[in-house]
Amino acid sequence: MLGTDFDALMRRALDTRSYADVVAVLPVAEWLYVDWAARAGEPESWPPTAKHSERIRLHNNPQYNNWVNLLREEFDAVEPAEAVIRAKGVATSKEAVRLERPLFDSAMAAR
C-alpha cells in the first residue's frame, strides 16, 4: 500500500530521537507536496470537490511554502560533519524519495 513504507521510515527516524534523522525524511514529503500542488495551477482549474481543492490549497500557499523552505534549510544546517553519519542521512533521504514518489506518480496518472 502506498505510503505505508514511507510512514514506517518516518517512524524509524522519529524513534532515533535524532533531529538530523527526522529532517532527512520530513522535507522530502513536504517538498513533493509543494511541487504537486503548484502543478494544479490557479484555483479556477482545481477540482470542484471540496476535499480535493482543499488539499491543493493546503499545500499551495505562502505559509506552507515557508514551512517547507524552513525544513530544507534545517536539513542543510544539521548536516553532520562525520562522513558516515552524513552518508546515512543522504541514504535516508533517497529512500524517502523512492518510497514517496509512487504516491505522486499514481496521483498524476489519475488526472
Side-chain angles (χ1 to χ4, degrees):
M1 181 173 191
L2 291 175
T4 304
D5 291 335
F6 183 87
D7 184 58
L9 179 65
M10 187 69 218
R11 289 179 189 280
R12 284 193 304 275
L14 290 169
D15 287 345
T16 69
R17 301 290 188 238
S18 164
Y19 187 66
D21 287 351
V22 172
V23 297
V25 177
L26 191 55
V28 171
E30 304 306 334
W31 196 354
L32 286 171
Y33 277 118
V34 165
D35 186 58
W36 166 78
R39 293 175 190 218
E42 295 301 316
E44 300 81 40
S45 65
W46 294 356
T49 311
K51 70 179 182 178
H52 297 123
S53 60
E54 181 60 18
R55 183 166 292 255
I56 294 168
R57 188 205 59 75
L58 176 67
H59 295 97
N60 189 10
N61 66 73
Q63 293 82 10
Y64 187 76
N65 291 338
N66 289 340
W67 161 245
V68 173
N69 286 335
L70 172 70
L71 291 173
R72 292 170 54 198
E73 290 168 3
E74 287 297 300
F75 177 75
D76 291 340
V78 300
E79 180 178 357
E82 200 173 315
V84 172
I85 298 171
R86 188 171 53 252
K88 179 181 176 259
V90 168
T92 299
S93 288
K94 286 181 178 181
E95 179 67 359
V97 170
R98 186 188 73 74
L99 295 172
E100 195 71 349
R101 181 154 183 196
L103 176 68
F104 289 91
D105 288 346
S106 67
M108 295 307 285
R111 289 187 81 192

